[in-house]
Amino acid sequence: MAYENIRLDTEGAVAVLTIDRPKALNALNTQTFLEMESALLLLPSQVRALIVTGGGDKAFVAGADIAEMATIGSAQAREFSALGHRVMHLLERLTMPTIAAVNGFALGGGCELALACDLIYASDKAKLGLPEASLGVIPGFGGTQRLARAVGKMRAKELIFTGDRLDAAKAKEIGLVLEVLPADQLLAHCKAVANKLIKNGPMALSQAKRVIEIGADQDLRTANELESQAFGVLFGSEDQKEGMKAFLEKRPAVFSGR
Ligand code: CO8
């Protein structure tokens, strides 16, 4: 499928998904979501980590497309929200690590997109926030839930009630981003992190992600049971045998992902 609003570039086992509508500051419209959905479902099999970023030098994603939303009614709004949720969920449940490289404005749906990734790094030019209330609406792609889980309910309420835009340093201070990088080093940093992660066992990464994500919605005892099950599953994998054998043989492991 040829994409108009996104790009997917792969370098070895690391893919970079760029939301690429710089004239609209990469705003998420229906077509962009459908292209993202297709790209995520059809990721090449060699990909072991995914970086999400924005095209141009100004924005990661400046939100859902306000021009598209301005005239829709309740039923269409619910459909649009459901589409956005579907794509965010797909991203969140990918069986590989995902990294948001927040290279500029990450507002509304853009901040929600970053929150659906496993790790968030930001450039020193980034501005993050959820200004939906200033438009008379609320976050509609999981922001009310994922932001509260990421930074706590009170901070989430403050950000959503005020609509304030945080600079990258403040976003780091409240735990919304992991690190702040000079703009020209952000993507290289994210690629270095991705290449480091994928040296570890792919099955281990995928199980760790699954257990953390699903466990976060369970009580501790149930979540720990999930961990035990996943631990057992990994002992049936070639990766576990290779990882431990390589340690004993004092050599780097070569994981197959099986
Ligand atoms: N949607 C559509 N177009 C946009 C958006 C957007 N979110 N953001 C920017 N653009 C367009 C502008 O209209 C402008 O287009 P044009 O050149 O044709 O006039 C172009 O991008 C450049 O933008 P600006 O001229 O405004 O650039 P500035 O540098 O002056 O300002 C800002 C940059 C501060 C980022 C500003 O563009 C802005 O405030 N954008 C909107 C931010 C926002 O409110 N985002 C939240 C949107 S709501 C949302 O995400 C809800 C998600 C849940 C939806 C649930 C479904 C129902």
Side-chain angles (χ1 to χ4, degrees), residues 23-24 27 58 62-66 77 80 108-109 112 131-132 135 140-141 165:
K23 279 189 190 147
K58 235 172 130 176
D65 191 312
I66 299 172
F80 187 48
E112 294 177 290
E132 283 88 345
L135 299 166
F141 306 139
R165 276 184 227 152

